[in-house]
Amino acid sequence: MSSCRKRCKREILKFAQYLFRLITGTLNADSVEDELELSAVRHRPEALELLEAQTRFSRKELQILYRGFKNECPSGVVNEDTFKEIYAQFFPQGDASTYAHFLFNAFDTDHNGSVSFEDFVMGLSILLRGTVQEKLNWAFNLYDINKDGYITKEEMLDIIKSIYDMMGKCTYPTLKEETPRQHVEIFFQKMDKNRDGVVTIDEFIDCCQNDENIMRSMQLFENVI
């Protein structure tokens, strides 16, 4: 692996760790100060009980998550600009704004232009502790930009281009201009079983589950956390 690729991998892992620590606010959870902060969370017991039933987080974990979320986002919601700022910090060698836009839309499940604590913790639960099926469903939703239930070549191309743009110097100028489209063609050869020009959720999941590289990547967050 080249030093540039190693550097990219380190930055991705750093970002995953940063994101988790940012949201959880991981200081010393056993300190008196943190206990006082946690007590301030308990004004939403019904919402936390509901989220405990809907996610794979314990009540105490949800309390810590909510405290961290409110510390970073006093308004109670995250906007798209915040997502872009976080990605820009960890991928300064490229332009992460487009990929951050797509990721934001994946978390913004009700498409109201903001990500609430509930939106974020539901997505985080899937990414950190979801089943393979749940993670692949979430990934499909990311690639399905217009949310019509299908992934087109153009949608996949937009996502892949945004990833290359985010990596910046770690991909360019070694990649040729046509490389992203070539990658899309390869993916579609594997995924589009009936050759109708679009990939369905069933085709996407079936292909991913039979690809060892993709399945290993599903463990990224579990390995980091």
Side-chain angles (χ1 to χ4, degrees), residues 10 19 35 54 64 81 99 122 144 158 176 190 194-195 209 211:
R10 282 197 302 269
L19 182 59
E35 286 301 319
Q54 293 176 334
I64 296 173
D81 287 341
Y99 184 75
M122 292 290 285
D144 180 16
D158 286 343
K176 297 179 180 179
K190 292 181 178 180
N194 62 359
R195 301 294 185 262
Q209 286 181 329
D211 189 304

Side-chain angles (χ1 to χ4, degrees), residues 176-198:
K176 297 179 180 179
E177 185 175 347
E178 65 270 18
T179 298
R181 188 170 292 277
Q182 289 173 346
H183 285 177
V184 169
E185 291 297 334
I186 292 171
F187 288 143
F188 260 74
Q189 284 293 320
K190 292 181 178 180
M191 292 184 178
D192 185 14
K193 301 294 185 183
N194 62 359
R195 301 294 185 262
D196 63 352
V198 295

Side-chain angles (χ1 to χ4, degrees), residues 141-190:
N141 181 59
L142 173 65
Y143 279 90
D144 180 16
I145 296 173
N146 67 0
K147 312 306 178 194
D148 66 350
Y150 302 96
I151 299 174
T152 65
K153 287 184 179 181
E154 290 306 313
E155 285 176 321
M156 185 171 284
L157 181 62
D158 286 343
I159 295 288
I160 290 178
K161 278 184 175 179
S162 74
I163 293 172
Y164 288 149
D165 288 343
M166 180 171 64
M167 292 303 183
K169 295 176 183 177
C170 286
T171 55
Y172 296 117
T174 56
L175 286 178
K176 297 179 180 179
E177 185 175 347
E178 65 270 18
T179 298
R181 188 170 292 277
Q182 289 173 346
H183 285 177
V184 169
E185 291 297 334
I186 292 171
F187 288 143
F188 260 74
Q189 284 293 320
K190 292 181 178 180

Side-chain angles (χ1 to χ4, degrees), residues 14-27 68 72 224-225:
K14 279 168 57 182
F15 170 73
Q17 291 171 322
Y18 169 81
L19 182 59
F20 186 76
R21 289 168 183 165
L22 172 70
I23 299 304
T24 58
T26 48
L27 299 173
E72 298 297 333
V224 171
I225 307 304

Side-chain angles (χ1 to χ4, degrees), residues 21 27 29 34 66 71 89 93 115 136 161 194:
R21 289 168 183 165
L27 299 173
D34 277 0
Y66 185 65
N71 283 346
Q89 291 176 29
Q93 75 279 8
V115 173
L136 290 175
K161 278 184 175 179
N194 62 359

